[in-house]
Amino acid sequence: MNSIILDTTAAEQFLSAGAVDALKEKAVAARAALEAATCPGNDFLGWLHLPTSVTPDIIADIQATAKTLQEECDTVVVAGIGGSYLGARAVIEALGDSFAWLRDKRDAPTVLFAGNNIAEDYLAELTDLLRTRRFGVINISKSGTTTETALAFRLLKKQCEEQRGKDTARRVIVAVTDAKRGAARVTADKEGYKSYVIPDNVGGRFSVLTPVGLLPIAVAGYDIAALIDGAQQMERATADGTAFDDSLALRYAAVRNALYAQGKKIEIMANFQPKLHYVAEWWKQLYGESEGKQGKGIFPASVDLTTDLHSMGQWIQDGERTIFETVVSVAEPEKTLLFPHDDENLDGLNFLEGRRVDQVNKMAELGTRLAHVDGGVPNIRITLPRLDARSLGALIYFFEVGCGVSGLLLGVNPFDQPGVEAYKKNMFALLGKPGYEAEGETLRKRL
Ligand code: PA5
């Protein structure tokens, strides 16, 4: 595999001399602490060797389940939220045809997502659409008790059973959840669904390389063996004992922490390829939930470029100088399209005739990076050789290990998310869930 390239030169030029050097030893020590499981959150380190623990048998089993769903369904709905859907969606959208659902001919079922919001219109429109579909469901929840997912699954299960009959529903509903706990596990066992276990020691946002991500990605028709192969290669390239200067993940973690220490509080992930939109959404959850705690943490934001240069470009170029930018670039597009000739040349663009559209995009990227650096925005660039499963697997693991190290450098436990509970408690109290009535009364008086 041509590897991922990390270029931090245009970020380090903003840092005081020795700022990154000062973090080298700490970064190496943080990586060693992950390996030795001596860091905070050490009961959630199952992701660290996940790629190399995925055997061909595991892949074959997931592919067999995917095949059943492919044969029996034209549409598969993934019910899940946060780490229980973002990784799958990121990979599926990155590898997919931008207009897949409008094509007359499709090789694999359309994969849709639900259980990641509680919007009545969304769910009503989805259930309406599904009335004419041969659909199946992948119900993904580590806790098995998440309200958004449970609500969507309740609707989907009922509809699937009514439309397709109980027996077929049993074959086309699959659960990915805890081994023992939670409603999703109880339902799966009671109904006899095929099910997969999310290991106890793998947190939701680190779970994309388990069946949480692998099953939906395989159903959508993408090569999960290549995805895992890419992740395995990155696991080896960032292994404990790798020198700081040889480990992309250690450098990424150190540079972003050095920038943070010098007042750069917001990291904006920028892509020049709309298919990467959900990669940024996945990355935002990974870093946001891992680092945003105890009053600390870089705020992860994202833009799709060049689209957002016409909306957020002004702010990035000229707004408060508390940001830095991480561009995820793809060296070689999968398709080829040349800029056409126009006899009238009214737009004055004939000088581009015969050049690849990607060449224009790359110059837009370079021009933007230079402009932002001139505007005082440190710039990190991550280049993928191609937008394929292998590169995405490597990128996923790179960000995961970078996140673990970065959180430890920041001085937080990167593997918990205590802040996520607050809204749930209020919501249950306001809805009058048994046991929460008293809090509900108090809350209602407040706003
Ligand atoms: O990273 C996490 O643990 C969370 O973001 C979860 O993925 C998210 O809250 C969904 O939880 P669950 O899979 O338990 O439904």
Side-chain angles (χ1 to χ4, degrees):
M1 174 178 74
N2 291 325
S3 357
I4 289 175
I5 298 166
L6 172 74
D7 183 355
T8 55
T9 326
E12 292 191 44
Q13 73 188 56
F14 287 87
L15 292 168
S16 48
V20 174
D21 284 348
L23 290 173
K24 281 186 177 180
E25 252 181 60
K26 288 184 183 150
V28 170
R31 179 66 189 84
L34 291 174
E35 196 66 32
T38 51
C39 58
N42 55 5
D43 44 350
F44 279 98
L45 293 172
W47 58 273
L48 194 57
H49 293 295
L50 198 53
T52 47
S53 71
V54 178
T55 61
D57 283 354
I58 295 175
I59 290 178
D61 181 65
I62 293 171
Q63 281 167 337
T65 305
K67 191 156 177 276
T68 305
L69 290 171
Q70 287 169 339
E71 283 167 0
E72 302 227 25
C73 307
D74 56 26
T75 304
V76 172
V77 186
V78 174
I81 193 167
S84 289
Y85 96 105
L86 283 167
R89 188 161 193 175
V91 174
I92 290 170
E93 297 213 357
L95 295 178
D97 181 321
S98 308
F99 304 99
W101 63 91
L102 295 175
R103 303 262 180 218
D104 295 334
K105 195 178 163 302
R106 282 182 290 274
D107 299 331
T110 302
V111 175
L112 301 175
F113 295 90
N116 56 65
N117 63 61
I118 319 176
E120 188 159 340
D121 285 346
Y122 184 90
L123 289 166
E125 285 159 13
L126 175 68
T127 47
D128 181 49
L129 173 86
L130 294 173
R131 269 189 204 118
T132 54
R133 303 288 180 124
R134 289 170 61 239
F135 77 94
V137 185
I138 308 177
N139 186 31
I140 309 181
S141 177
K142 179 157 192 226
S143 61
T145 56
T146 301
T147 308
E148 289 87 341
T149 308
L151 176 59
F153 183 65
R154 194 184 266 226
L155 288 165
L156 294 167
K157 175 179 185 288
K158 190 165 182 289
Q159 185 173 355
C160 188
E161 287 171 353
E162 282 168 7
Q163 268 176 229
R164 308 202 63 186
K166 266 244 172 205
D167 284 348
T168 306
R170 239 176 239 125
R171 285 199 305 279
V172 297
I173 298 179
V174 179
V176 186
T177 187
D178 187 81
K180 296 194 188 81
R181 288 169 295 134
R185 167 55 57 200
V186 176
T187 310
D189 289 349
K190 184 171 146 271
E191 299 285 354
Y193 300 151
K194 169 78 180 172
S195 68
Y196 290 93
V197 170
I198 309 174
D200 275 348
N201 60 358
V202 178
R205 60 190 174 275
F206 287 85
S207 68
V208 53
L209 300 174
T210 72
V212 168
L214 297 179
L215 180 60
I217 293 166
V219 168
Y222 302 115
D223 186 351
I224 56 170
L227 186 84
I228 291 294
D229 184 54
Q232 286 175 348
Q233 291 187 38
M234 188 56 79
E235 185 184 324
R236 291 186 195 105
T238 56
D240 182 36
T242 308
F244 180 89
D245 290 327
D246 296 330
S247 171
L248 311 187
L250 296 187
R251 180 166 295 277
Y252 176 58
V255 169
R256 62 197 297 284
N257 271 275
L259 290 166
Y260 180 66
Q262 292 187 22
K264 303 298 181 190
K265 307 284 186 195
I266 301 166
E267 179 174 8
I268 303 179
M269 176 171 283
N271 67 68
F272 284 78
Q273 164 66 277
K275 288 182 182 193
L276 288 172
H277 176 85
Y278 267 92
V279 169
E281 295 303 314
W282 169 81
W283 167 86
K284 282 183 338 200
Q285 190 214 358
L286 182 65
Y287 280 76
E289 271 191 10
S290 299
E291 296 194 319
K293 47 198 75 157
Q294 296 165 230
K296 298 194 255 190
I298 297 169
F299 184 82
S302 64
V303 285
D304 297 325
L305 304 183
T306 62
T307 315
D308 294 341
L309 288 176
H310 299 260
S311 57
M312 295 302 290
Q314 172 63 35
W315 202 105
I316 297 172
Q317 187 68 42
D318 217 12
E320 194 181 58
R321 300 299 72 185
T322 47
I323 57 173
F324 65 100
E325 194 168 37
T326 297
V327 172
V328 177
S329 184
V330 180
E332 183 64 28
E334 298 303 302
K335 316 265 163 61
T336 302
L337 187 67
L338 302 182
F339 211 85
H341 173 81
D342 186 280
D343 281 344
E344 290 190 278
N345 195 27
L346 291 178
D347 54 15
L349 293 177
N350 269 355
F351 73 102
L352 295 174
E353 182 185 335
R355 296 205 216 170
R356 287 184 72 173
V357 172
D358 188 60
Q359 197 185 350
V360 182
N361 200 27
K362 287 293 188 305
M363 289 310 109
E365 180 191 316
L366 184 55
T368 304
R369 292 178 64 227
L370 290 167
H372 289 176
V373 167
D374 289 345
V377 181
N379 191 283
I380 295 173
R381 185 177 191 235
I382 296 167
T383 308
L384 307 186
R386 312 183 67 94
L387 202 45
D388 59 12
R390 207 162 259 108
S391 302
L392 285 170
L395 185 72
I396 285 167
Y397 190 81
F398 158 76
F399 276 134
E400 287 181 349
V401 76
C403 182
V405 171
S406 185
L408 295 180
L409 288 179
L410 188 66
V412 298
N413 173 356
F415 308 114
D416 65 0
Q417 57 284 332
V420 181
E421 294 311 309
Y423 96 93
K424 295 185 195 168
K425 234 175 105 225
N426 287 350
M427 179 177 72
F428 287 142
L430 291 165
L431 285 167
K433 185 172 177 176
Y436 289 78
E437 293 87 349
E439 288 106 310
E441 270 308 296
T442 321
L443 286 173
R444 261 187 287 278
K445 285 185 197 129
R446 276 185 44 203
L447 291 176

